[in-house]
Amino acid sequence: MGSYYTTTHQSVVSKPVKLTEKLVKSALDVGRYYPSGDNAQCFNFRLSQGQLLVDYCATSAKHTFAYDASTFVITLGALVEYVRQGFLIHGQNVNVNYQLDGFKVDEDKQAVCTFTAITESDQPAQVSESTLLGRVTDRRQYSSFDPCEIDVSNMNANLKCSQVELFANLQPEISDFFALCDSLVWSSKPLGLDVMNAIVFEQVKPKVGLPWQNLGLSQSQTIPLKLIQKHPWSYSLFQYLGAQRAMHASQKQLWQSGNACLMFTYSPDLSLVQKCQANEQLMQTWLRLTANGFSLQPSTLSTEVLNYPLKPECNLENTQANLPLSGLESKINAVRSLLHIEQQEVNWLFRIGKVEAPLPAGARTARRDIDDLLKIESL
């Protein structure tokens, strides 16, 4: 894979120009499809004095994963990269300024970042609109691939705040561990209900949520999910009937199908801003892989579980999730050793491979409409 990105933000010395309502709406029409660390729609946009401001809404972010900033920095970094590319597609270069001093995940904060136009861009967009819209998390089985198709050294040359490593031909204990992590949604009712209630079954296009077609399941296989959404008490019934064992087995098949994962780890001692920038760079890599025909599925639970030893006080066991993890600590440390990440914080972990046919158009996670996302204050 050849060179794809230069720097995350270009430094261009020129008189700033104002962003227009038409341009902002065009950029956000693509940029709003940024991936979210927990599928939450927790950011709103304001166009004020020719600048685009991004506001954080803590209530919209409320999820069992949102107990610290781990999913926040993933989501905001992805938003910045998507919106920046949306502006480039429409010929406009922008600077981004983060403002995260005093940020708390459970409190609203205005203007967590600001987009400012600096000059019209004479460079082409670094990705196509079809690549941005085609980056769909695919939860189906993958086929294997030649690891030589992915140039990790070239990727790492472009990553300034993190490192990426490709693990091909996964050891059985690693794929089994990741499958176990995914199945832990059945060990915490608050977490399980959060995940399952995010799935939508509407026939018309929903405003937010994950369409059931994205799950790689038949309609009959989604019946338990529908029942749990309608009758939350039935979660405990399926739990009693062995839903976690069944999901562990099915997820293991998925991990063994492509038999590879991509893992991003943070550089040491990063600030919140630097972690957001690391996730901009992560998205650059993800989009490049998408353009080259790869499918990826993030495993947020595997990421959280792997980081458990580094979070002795703030973790899913000590939050409303009440997810029992202490009994897994020896297994977690063994897998961290196999992955050679003894003291490294994992940013995000992805199952990776290729699929024979694209997902249907309706499988893309829905995003709010522009009129709902954007408020025009003044130009």
Side-chain angles (χ1 to χ4, degrees):
M1 292 166 59
S3 177
Y4 188 57
Y5 287 91
T6 52
T7 58
T8 302
H9 302 298
Q10 296 205 355
S11 297
V12 179
V13 179
S14 63
K15 183 178 179 180
V17 296
K18 289 186 176 182
L19 299 174
T20 65
E21 179 178 348
K22 180 180 179 180
L23 176 62
V24 166
K25 286 184 174 180
S26 296
L28 290 184
D29 196 42
V30 178
R32 65 196 171 107
Y33 287 101
Y34 62 89
S36 169
D38 53 16
N39 288 325
Q41 299 288 286
C42 56
F43 294 104
N44 297 312
F45 297 87
R46 285 180 291 130
L47 180 59
S48 179
Q49 301 295 327
Q51 295 184 327
L52 182 64
L53 287 70
V54 182
D55 298 333
Y56 171 71
C57 177
T59 301
S60 299
K62 194 173 184 180
H63 189 282
T64 48
F65 281 139
Y67 63 93
D68 64 6
S70 58
T71 55
F72 168 81
V73 292
I74 290 172
T75 307
L76 184 55
L79 177 155
V80 166
E81 183 58 27
Y82 254 62
V83 173
R84 187 177 75 91
Q85 292 298 330
F87 278 117
L88 280 175
I89 286 170
H90 291 88
Q92 182 64 62
N93 203 359
V94 292
N95 265 347
V96 179
N97 180 38
Y98 288 98
Q99 302 165 62
L100 297 179
D101 290 345
F103 172 81
K104 295 181 180 179
V105 74
D106 58 350
E107 295 180 3
D108 292 351
K109 185 173 178 60
Q110 291 193 322
V112 290
C113 71
T114 302
F115 292 86
T116 305
I118 47 177
T119 181
E120 290 189 3
S121 176
D122 57 1
Q123 70 178 66
Q126 295 157 325
V127 297
S128 67
E129 184 171 338
S130 61
T131 297
L132 286 167
L133 297 180
R135 185 226 54 80
V136 179
T137 297
D138 197 322
R139 292 168 172 82
R140 298 174 296 175
Q141 288 201 349
Y142 296 161
S143 59
S144 58
F145 59 93
D146 184 348
C148 294
E149 294 182 61
I150 297 179
D151 186 349
V152 173
S153 61
N154 182 62
M155 289 181 184
N156 281 319
N158 290 318
L159 297 177
K160 308 304 179 186
C161 300
S162 62
Q163 288 284 111
V164 61
E165 186 166 358
L166 171 68
F167 295 90
N169 302 313
L170 288 175
Q171 294 162 274
E173 53 265 53
I174 295 179
S175 56
D176 182 73
F177 174 80
F178 293 153
L180 172 64
C181 291
D182 292 339
S183 74
L184 289 177
V185 295
W186 290 104
S187 293
S188 165
K189 190 171 183 178
L191 174 60
L193 292 181
D194 268 357
V195 171
M196 295 174 199
N197 286 332
I199 300 167
V200 290
F201 296 95
E202 299 174 25
Q203 295 301 314
V204 296
K205 184 179 178 182
K207 287 189 175 182
V208 295
L210 179 69
W212 70 268
Q213 295 91 335
N214 185 277
L215 302 177
L217 302 175
S218 65
Q219 287 197 28
S220 62
Q221 290 173 319
T222 64
I223 291 175
L225 299 175
K226 293 178 181 178
L227 284 173
I228 289 170
Q229 286 187 356
K230 189 173 182 179
H231 306 290
W233 58 263
S234 65
Y235 171 94
S236 299
L237 174 62
F238 286 107
Q239 188 181 43
Y240 174 77
L241 293 173
Q244 181 170 350
R245 290 194 301 275
M247 185 173 179
H248 185 181
S250 63
Q251 290 299 117
K252 189 172 180 178
Q253 289 182 332
L254 292 180
W255 280 100
Q256 291 176 336
S257 63
N259 205 29
C261 73
L262 204 65
M263 183 180 63
F264 289 79
T265 54
Y266 286 122
S267 300
D269 303 319
L270 296 183
S271 66
L272 278 185
V273 169
Q274 289 171 321
K275 286 188 174 183
C276 290
Q277 292 169 339
N279 282 288
E280 293 177 47
Q281 296 157 11
L282 182 157
M283 281 312 307
Q284 295 166 6
T285 303
W286 193 353
L287 289 167
R288 173 57 168 163
L289 290 168
T290 297
N292 281 271
F294 288 93
S295 293
L296 296 97
Q297 178 190 355
S299 181
T300 305
L301 258 173
S302 295
T303 301
E304 289 285 342
V305 175
L306 280 170
N307 285 331
Y308 174 72
L310 305 182
K311 297 180 175 183
E313 296 180 357
C314 189
N315 55 60
L316 286 175
E317 190 171 60
N318 297 329
T319 65
Q320 64 171 353
N322 193 27
L323 185 67
L325 294 175
S326 55
L328 294 174
E329 191 157 7
S330 61
K331 183 175 287 190
I332 295 169
N333 287 327
V335 172
R336 288 182 66 88
S337 179
L338 288 171
L339 296 172
H340 308 293
I341 54 168
E342 284 80 357
Q343 296 301 319
Q344 290 173 271
E345 181 184 356
V346 179
N347 180 1
W348 228 3
L349 179 82
F350 298 82
R351 186 169 67 93
I352 183 170
K354 293 190 173 183
V355 293
E356 294 186 7
L359 279 166
R364 184 174 65 188
T365 303
R367 289 292 184 254
R368 291 155 57 195
D369 293 333
I370 296 295
D371 290 341
D372 184 34
L373 279 171
L374 178 65
K375 179 180 180 182
I376 308 298
E377 292 189 341
S378 64
L379 301 178

